C-alpha cells in the first residue's frame, strides 16, 4: 500500500484512517493476540465507490472506473482528485448504476481555501475553441457543455449566448481595423484572389484574399473579407460586392491583378472591374483563370473511364478504414505478398489525391486487396472483387496519370508557385496529353480520354495567352524566355513588355529608388563609396538607355535553376536591376491559383468545405475571417488590447472596458496600453 498523498489530507482533512486491527509492531501487544484480524478500510473516499456483488472490486460512482477491493484508499483518493476535482464540494447525489435508492453524499468539512477559477479565462478559451475549430457558436448553448463544467465546479458560469456573440463580433471588428491600417503601409501593387462556395442555407459566399511582396522581399497574404453574394449571384452582384471591400480597405487603385475560379460570373465581374479601373486610368489591371481548377477539370476528363473502378476501390478502403480486422489483415497480406507498407487510415477524399491513391492501391496491392475481400466476403460481398479487365484499366490509367500526380505534388510543395512555373508545368501536361493521343500504342478508350483532356487544356491556354501573363512569366528568373510555353513566346509580347516596363517602372517609380544603392552591398563587392553614389546620380538623365539595358541584360542571362528561391534571387539581384525589380515585385505576387493548391488537390480542401458548408450566416464572416487571421500569425484582439493565451498561465482579458489580469485568483486593474 502507498502512503496517503498530501493532496488527500489537504482537500479532506477529516479522513478516517485505515484500521490495522489489534495486531501491532509493539512488543507489548504480541502476547495478547490470539489470531490476526483481517484488515478493513474505512476511508471517506469509500463513500464515492460501490462494491461489486462478487466482493472483488470497487467501482467509482462518477465514472465507473474499477479498482481491486484490496487497493489502498490513497489510490482511490488520487483517482477522485485527478479525475473528479471538486467532488467533495459538489454536495450532489451520487447514484449507482444499479436500481437502488440514491445515496446522499455529505459534503466533507474542509477548512482549506477553495481553488479560485478565472471564469473569463474559461469563456475566452471557449471562444478560441469555436474560432479555431470552426464550430458554430450554437455549440456554446448546449446544456451538456455547461453541465460538464458545473460537474467539475458548481460555481462556474459561462457567458450567455448574446455575450459570446458580442465578443466574437468585436474581435472581428478590432482585428479588421488592424489589417486595414497595415494595408495602408503597403507600397507595391497588390493582387487578389476570389473563391466561391454555397452553405447549407443555400447562401453564396465569396472570399477575397490580398497578396503582395513587401520591401524585404517576403511574400505576404491576408484574407480581406468573406462576403455574401446577393441573388441572383451574377457578375454584377460579384462586382458590386468586390468593389465595396476594395474601397473599405482603400486598395481599389493599387490592384494589379485578380485570379478567379474560372466561372463565367467571376470573369464577367473581373471584366467590369477592368473597365472601371481603365476608365480611371489607374494603370495596369489584368485577371487570370485558376490553373489548379483547370488542371482538375483536365484530370477529371481523364478519370471518367476509370470512375467505376475508382468508386469500387474507395468502397473497399472505407470498409477497411473502419474495421481493425480488415486493416490488420490487409497490412499482413501486403507484407506476405511484398506489396509495400500502408498506413491506415488511407485517404478516401474525392479530390485528386484520393482518386490517384485508389489507382495506386490497384497497381501496387491488388493481391492483398483480393485476399481481404475473400476472407471477409460475407461482410464485403464478392462484387467488390476487381476483374482482370478492371485491374488492367486501372494500371494503364495510373501510368498515364503519374506525370499529373508529380506535377500537382510539385505545385503544392513549391514555396513560390508563380504563374511562370505553373505555365511551365501546364505545358508539360499538354505535351503528355498530345503524346498519348497521337501514339499508336495507346488503346482507343485512352485516346478518347486524351482528346477530351486536350480540349480542357487548350481552353486554359487560350485564356492565359496575353501580354500580362507573358510579363509575369518572364520575370520569374527560373523561366524567362527560354522556358516559356510556345503559345506565349511571341516577339510582339516582348516588345509590349518593354513598352509597359518603360511606361510604368522607368520614370514614375524612379523616386522610390533613392535608397536602392545607399548603404547596400552589391554582390559581395563591399559598400558603395560616396564617389560611386555621386557617379550614379549623374547617370540618371540617361535612364531610358539604362532601363532598356536592364531588361536586355536580365533576359540575356541563362535562367536560374528550378530549385531557386525566386524572392531571395530578386532580393540579392535588385541592386543590379533596380527598376526591373520594382516590376518583378508587383507581378510575382500575381497568383496562378485562386486558392492554395493543396486545397484543390488534397483532402485539406474537404475539411475546409465541410466547415464552410455548416457555418450559419450570422457568424460565418466573423469566425472564418478571425480564424484565417490568427492562422496567419495575428493575435486575437478585443478593442485596443490583444488577447494572449500563451505568455501567461491564465491570461489577460477584457469585458465592458475593464481590463483584468488574473493571477492566482487575484485581479489587477490594467489600462488599455497593456498589450499582452
Amino acid at each position: 500500500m502507498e502512503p496517503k498523498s498530501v493532496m488527500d489530507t489537504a482537500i479532506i482533512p477529516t479522513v478516517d484512517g485505515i484500521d490495522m486491527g489489534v495486531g501491532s509492531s509493539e512488543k507489548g501487544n504480541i502476547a495478547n493476540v490470539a489470531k490476526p484480524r483481517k484488515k478493513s478500510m474505512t476511508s471517506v473516499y469509500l463513500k464515492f465507490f460501490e462494491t461489486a456483488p462478487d466482493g472483488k472490486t470497487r467501482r467509482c460512482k462518477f465514472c465507473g472506473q474499477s479498482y481491486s477491493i484490496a487497493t489502498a484508499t490513497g489510490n482511490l483518493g488520487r483517482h477522485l482528485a485527478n479525475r473528479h476535482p471538486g467532488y467533495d464540494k459538489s454536495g450532489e447525489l451520487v447514484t449507482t448504476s444499479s436500481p437502488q435508492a440514491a445515496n446522499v453524499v455529505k459534503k466533507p468539512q474542509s477548512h482549506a481555501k477553495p481553488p479560485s477559477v478565472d471564469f473569463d479565462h474559461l469563456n475566452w478559451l471557449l471562444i478560441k475553441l469555436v474560432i479555431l475549430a470552426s464550430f458554430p457558436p450554437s455549440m456554446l448553448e448546449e446544456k451538456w457543455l455547461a453541465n460538464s463544467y458545473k460537474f467539475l465546479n458548481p460555481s462556474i458560469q459561462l457567458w450567455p449566448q448574446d455575450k459570446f456573440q458580442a465578443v466574437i463580433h468585436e474581435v472581428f471588428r478590432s482585428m479588421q481595423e488592424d489589417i486595414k491600417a497595415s494595408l495602408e503601409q503597403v507600397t507595391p501593387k497588390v493582387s487578389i484572389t476570389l473563391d466561391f462556395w454555397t452553405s447549407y442555407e443555400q447562401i453564396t459566399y465569396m472570399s477575397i484574399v490580398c497578396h503582395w511582396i513587401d520591401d524585404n522581399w517576403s511574400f505576404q497574404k491576408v484574407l480581406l473579407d468573406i462576403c455574401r453574394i446577393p441573388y441572383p449571384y451574377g457578375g454584377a452582384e460579384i462586382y458590386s460586392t468586390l468593389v465595396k471591400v476594395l474601397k473599405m480597405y482603400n486598395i481599389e487603385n493599387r490592384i494589379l491583378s485578380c485570379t478567379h475560379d474560372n466561372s463565367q460570373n467571376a470573369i464577367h465581374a473581373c471584366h467590369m472591374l477592368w473597365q472601371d479601373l481603365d476608365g480611371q486610368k489607374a494603370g495596369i489591371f489584368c485577371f487570370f483563370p485558376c490553373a489548379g481548377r483547370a488542371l482538375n477539370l483536365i484530370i477529371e476528363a481523364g478519370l471518367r473511364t476509370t470512375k467505376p473502378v475508382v468508386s469500387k476501390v474507395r468502397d473497399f478502403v472505407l470498409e477497411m478504414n473502419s474495421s481493425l480486422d480488415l486493416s490488420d489483415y490487409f497490412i499482413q497480406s501486403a507484407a506476405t505478398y511484398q506489396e509495400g507498407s500502408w498506413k491506415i487510415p488511407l485517404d478516401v477524399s474525392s479530390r485528386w489525391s484520393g482518386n490517384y491513391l485508389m489507382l495506386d492501391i490497384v497497381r501496387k496491392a491488388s493481391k492483398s486487396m483480393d485476399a481481404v475481400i475473400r476472407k471477409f466476403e460475407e461482410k464485403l460481398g464478392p462484387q467488390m472483387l476487381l476483374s482482370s479487365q478492371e485491374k488492367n484499366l486501372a494500371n494503364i490509367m495510373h501510368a498515364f496519370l503519374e506525370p499529373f500526380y508529380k506535377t500537382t505534388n510539385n505545385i503544392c510543395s513549391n514555396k513560390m508557385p508563380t504563374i511562370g512555373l505553373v505555365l511551365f508545368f501546364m505545358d508539360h501536361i499538354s505535351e503528355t496529353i498530345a503524346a498519348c493521343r497521337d501514339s499508336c500504342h495507346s488503346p482507343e478508350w485512352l485516346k478518347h480520354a486524351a482528346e477530351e483532356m486536350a480540349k480542357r487544356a487548350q481552353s486554359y491556354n487560350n485564356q492565359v495567352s496575353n501580354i500580362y501573363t507573358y510579363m509575369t512569366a518572364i520575370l520569374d528568373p527560373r523561366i524567362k524566355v527560354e522556358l516559356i510555353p510556345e503559345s506565349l513566346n511571341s516577339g510582339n509580347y516582348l516588345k509590349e513588355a518593354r513598352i509597359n516596363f518603360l511606361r510604368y517602372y522607368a520614370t514614375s517609380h524612379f523616386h522610390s529608388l533613392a535608397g536602392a544603392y545607399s548603404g547596400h552591398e552589391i554582390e559581395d563587392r563591399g559598400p558603395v563609396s560616396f564617389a560611386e553614389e555621386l557617379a550614379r546620380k549623374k547617370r540618371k538623365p540617361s535612364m531610358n538607355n539604362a532601363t532598356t539595358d536592364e531588361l536586355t541584360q536580365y533576359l540575356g542571362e541563362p535562367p536560374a535553376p528550378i530549385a531557386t528561391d525566386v524572392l531571395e534571387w530578386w532580393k540579392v539581384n535588385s541592386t543590379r536591376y533596380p527598376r526591373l525589380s520594382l516590376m518583378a515585385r508587383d507581378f510575382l505576387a500575381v497568383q496562378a491559383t485562386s486558392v492554395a493548391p493543396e486545397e484543390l488537390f488534397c483532402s485539406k480542401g474537404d475539411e475546409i468545405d465541410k466547415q464552410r458548408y455548416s457555418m450559419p450566416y450570422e457568424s460565418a464572416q466573423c469566425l472564418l475571417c478571425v480564424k484565417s487571421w490568427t492562422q496567419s500569425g495575428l493575435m486575437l484582439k478585443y478593442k485596443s488590447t490583444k488577447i494572449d493565451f500563451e505568455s501567461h498561465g491564465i491570461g489577460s482579458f477584457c469585458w465592458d472596458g475593464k481590463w483584468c489580469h488574473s493571477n492566482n485568483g487575484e485581479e489587477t486593474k490594467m489600462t488599455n496600453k497593456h498589450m499582452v
Side-chain angles (χ1 to χ4, degrees):
M1 276 191 277
E2 298 180 10
K4 194 176 301 297
S5 66
V6 177
M7 182 181 294
D8 298 338
T9 57
I11 296 179
I12 306 178
T14 57
V15 178
D16 296 335
I18 300 175
D19 187 357
M20 301 299 294
V22 180
S24 173
S25 60
E26 298 181 10
K27 293 181 180 179
N29 294 335
I30 296 176
N32 299 327
V33 177
K35 185 178 180 180
R37 210 162 72 187
K38 185 178 179 181
K39 300 176 182 179
S40 63
M41 295 195 295
T42 57
S43 170
V44 70
Y45 302 129
L46 298 180
K47 298 177 181 179
F48 300 94
F49 289 82
E50 60 182 353
T51 303
D54 58 5
K56 295 181 179 180
T57 59
R58 285 191 174 89
R59 186 169 63 180
C60 176
K61 295 179 180 179
F62 292 111
C63 65
Q65 176 70 40
S66 295
Y67 290 89
S68 171
I69 198 74
T71 192
T73 55
N75 293 335
L76 304 182
R78 277 186 286 276
H79 168 83
L80 294 170
N82 294 333
R83 296 287 297 275
H84 312 292
Y87 66 93
D88 57 320
K89 302 176 181 61
S90 63
E92 305 234 355
L93 294 179
V94 180
T95 61
T96 65
S97 58
S98 58
Q100 299 175 356
N103 298 322
V104 178
V105 179
K106 296 181 179 179
K107 182 177 179 181
Q109 297 295 324
S110 174
H111 301 288
K113 183 180 178 180
S116 60
V117 179
D118 187 345
F119 298 143
D120 277 351
H121 184 210
L122 172 62
N123 285 286
W124 273 102
L125 288 174
L126 288 175
I127 286 179
K128 185 177 181 181
L129 171 65
V130 167
I131 291 173
L132 296 185
S134 295
F135 288 143
S138 59
M139 181 195 77
L140 301 174
E141 297 178 348
E142 296 291 340
K143 291 184 178 180
W144 62 263
L145 182 65
N147 290 341
S148 298
Y149 284 111
K150 286 184 177 294
F151 178 75
L152 300 176
N153 190 319
S155 60
I156 286 178
Q157 294 292 330
L158 300 185
W159 289 342
Q161 179 64 19
D162 58 345
K163 191 169 183 176
F164 274 118
Q165 290 283 8
V167 171
I168 291 173
H169 280 78
E170 183 55 45
V171 168
F172 167 74
R173 287 190 292 268
S174 300
M175 297 182 73
Q176 189 179 52
E177 287 300 315
D178 279 358
I179 291 173
K180 182 178 179 181
S182 66
L183 284 174
E184 292 176 355
Q185 307 302 317
V186 175
T187 55
K189 292 277 190 177
V190 300
S191 294
I192 60 173
T193 55
L194 307 180
D195 188 28
F196 301 86
W197 73 92
T198 303
S199 72
Y200 75 98
E201 297 170 316
Q202 294 303 299
I203 296 175
T204 299
Y205 291 96
M206 173 178 66
S207 65
I208 310 169
V209 181
C210 182
H211 309 259
W212 73 96
I213 298 172
D214 64 20
D215 296 341
N216 197 39
W217 287 95
S218 295
F219 178 74
Q220 307 290 342
K221 71 173 183 177
V222 64
L223 174 66
L224 297 181
D225 211 341
I226 289 177
C227 314
R228 175 180 181 175
I229 305 298
Y231 183 82
Y233 323 120
E237 289 75 27
I238 294 174
Y239 163 77
S240 177
T241 305
L242 176 59
V243 168
K244 287 179 183 178
V245 174
L246 299 179
K247 288 184 176 180
M248 181 183 67
Y249 284 101
N250 196 27
I251 59 173
E252 69 273 18
N253 293 322
R254 289 188 284 152
I255 296 180
L256 175 65
S257 73
C258 176
T259 306
H260 54 78
D261 69 340
N262 303 10
S263 67
Q264 288 301 315
N265 287 335
I267 294 173
H268 184 207
C270 289
H271 185 74
M272 293 176 68
L273 182 60
W274 171 78
Q275 289 179 319
D276 187 14
L277 295 175
D278 187 58
Q280 299 176 22
K281 300 187 183 301
I284 297 174
F285 174 75
C286 46
F287 47 96
F288 300 89
C290 174
R293 296 188 186 278
L295 187 53
N296 259 337
L297 291 175
I298 294 170
I299 294 172
E300 285 178 8
L303 282 172
R304 193 168 298 155
T305 305
T306 53
K307 188 174 181 180
V309 179
V310 170
S311 298
K312 188 181 290 189
V313 180
R314 180 174 281 109
D315 288 343
F316 166 77
V317 175
L318 285 168
E319 291 288 350
M320 188 170 63
N321 283 348
S322 63
S323 172
L324 186 61
D325 292 338
L326 269 68
S327 59
D328 285 346
Y329 194 75
F330 178 81
I331 293 173
Q332 294 171 11
S333 300
T336 302
Y337 293 118
Q338 297 183 345
E339 292 184 328
S341 58
W342 301 83
K343 186 176 181 180
I344 309 296
L346 298 172
D347 180 11
V348 292
S349 170
S350 59
R351 295 177 187 266
W352 165 232
S353 61
N355 287 328
Y356 185 78
L357 179 61
M358 301 303 109
L359 297 174
D360 205 42
I361 293 172
V362 178
R363 178 176 176 270
K364 297 179 180 178
S366 61
K367 292 181 180 178
S368 302
M369 182 177 171
D370 290 347
V372 173
I373 295 173
R374 289 192 177 98
K375 181 174 177 61
F376 298 92
E377 183 175 353
E378 185 176 346
K379 179 178 182 180
L380 301 178
Q383 70 278 2
M384 200 168 281
L385 279 171
L386 296 180
S387 65
S388 57
Q389 183 180 3
E390 289 175 322
K391 291 180 181 178
N392 184 54
L393 190 75
N395 285 327
I396 293 174
M397 184 57 71
H398 182 279
F400 171 58
L401 293 179
E402 187 173 4
F404 295 77
Y405 184 69
K406 292 179 179 178
T407 297
T408 54
N409 274 354
N410 271 274
I411 294 175
C412 289
S413 60
N414 196 281
K415 181 180 178 182
M416 191 73 180
T418 63
I419 280 189
L421 183 66
V422 171
L423 286 176
F424 168 71
F425 282 127
M426 293 294 283
D427 191 47
H428 170 64
I429 289 298
S430 296
E431 291 176 354
T432 302
I433 295 171
C436 174
R437 180 190 58 192
D438 301 335
S439 173
C440 59
H441 301 291
S442 300
E444 287 302 319
W445 64 266
L446 186 58
K447 286 185 177 183
H448 180 72
E451 187 66 36
E452 291 297 316
M453 297 170 77
K455 292 178 181 178
R456 304 287 179 90
Q458 187 60 46
S459 174
Y460 172 78
N461 291 334
N462 292 340
Q463 293 182 66
V464 298
S465 294
N466 56 65
I467 176 57
Y468 302 115
T469 308
Y470 179 85
M471 288 193 298
T472 306
I474 65 173
L475 289 171
D476 186 333
R478 302 168 297 184
I479 305 300
K480 296 189 176 180
V481 175
E482 286 81 354
L483 296 181
I484 205 165
E486 189 62 32
S487 59
L488 277 177
N489 203 359
S490 167
N492 290 333
Y493 281 166
L494 180 58
K495 182 179 179 180
E496 290 184 50
R498 192 181 302 280
I499 292 173
N500 278 280
F501 172 47
L502 294 174
R503 178 181 300 168
Y504 296 107
Y505 294 92
T507 55
S508 60
H509 287 70
F510 192 79
H511 65 276
S512 63
L513 299 175
Y517 297 109
S518 179
H520 292 281
E521 295 184 1
I522 301 180
E523 295 184 333
D524 298 325
R525 296 176 185 174
V528 177
S529 66
F530 175 70
E532 180 64 19
E533 281 191 48
L534 292 178
R536 288 176 176 173
K537 289 180 181 179
K538 293 288 186 182
R539 297 187 189 113
K540 284 185 180 179
S542 60
M543 73 181 112
N544 284 342
N545 292 333
T547 54
T548 302
D549 290 342
E550 262 188 43
L551 185 58
T552 302
Q553 180 181 349
Y554 167 77
L555 294 176
E557 296 176 352
I562 293 296
T564 300
D565 185 323
V566 176
L567 298 185
E568 185 63 27
W569 190 95
W570 273 108
K571 183 178 181 180
V572 171
N573 290 276
S574 59
T575 50
R576 296 177 60 206
Y577 310 110
R579 299 167 182 84
L580 193 62
S581 65
L582 294 175
M583 187 178 186
R585 194 167 64 158
D586 286 349
F587 277 86
L588 289 177
V590 176
Q591 297 300 291
T593 59
S594 57
V595 297
E598 59 269 20
E599 295 180 23
L600 293 170
F601 302 122
C602 305
S603 57
K604 179 182 178 181
D606 291 336
E607 300 173 8
I608 294 174
D609 286 348
K610 291 176 183 176
Q611 293 171 351
R612 288 172 168 178
Y613 181 79
S614 61
M615 192 63 62
Y617 170 68
E618 63 270 12
S619 56
Q621 180 190 40
C622 294
L623 291 183
L624 294 178
C625 284
V626 172
K627 178 181 180 179
S628 175
W629 296 337
T630 55
Q631 289 176 337
S632 299
L634 298 177
M635 293 174 61
L636 290 180
K637 185 178 180 182
Y638 184 92
K639 295 184 178 177
S640 59
T641 297
K642 295 180 180 178
I643 308 301
D644 187 2
F645 293 92
E646 306 297 337
S647 62
H648 300 285
I650 297 181
S652 300
F653 310 103
C654 162
W655 182 250
D656 293 336
K658 299 178 181 178
W659 297 94
C660 298
H661 172 71
S662 298
N663 187 9
N664 296 329
E666 299 178 358
E667 293 185 345
T668 305
K669 183 80 173 184
M670 295 184 67
T671 62
N672 289 352
K673 68 179 180 180
H674 287 80
M675 304 297 285
V676 295

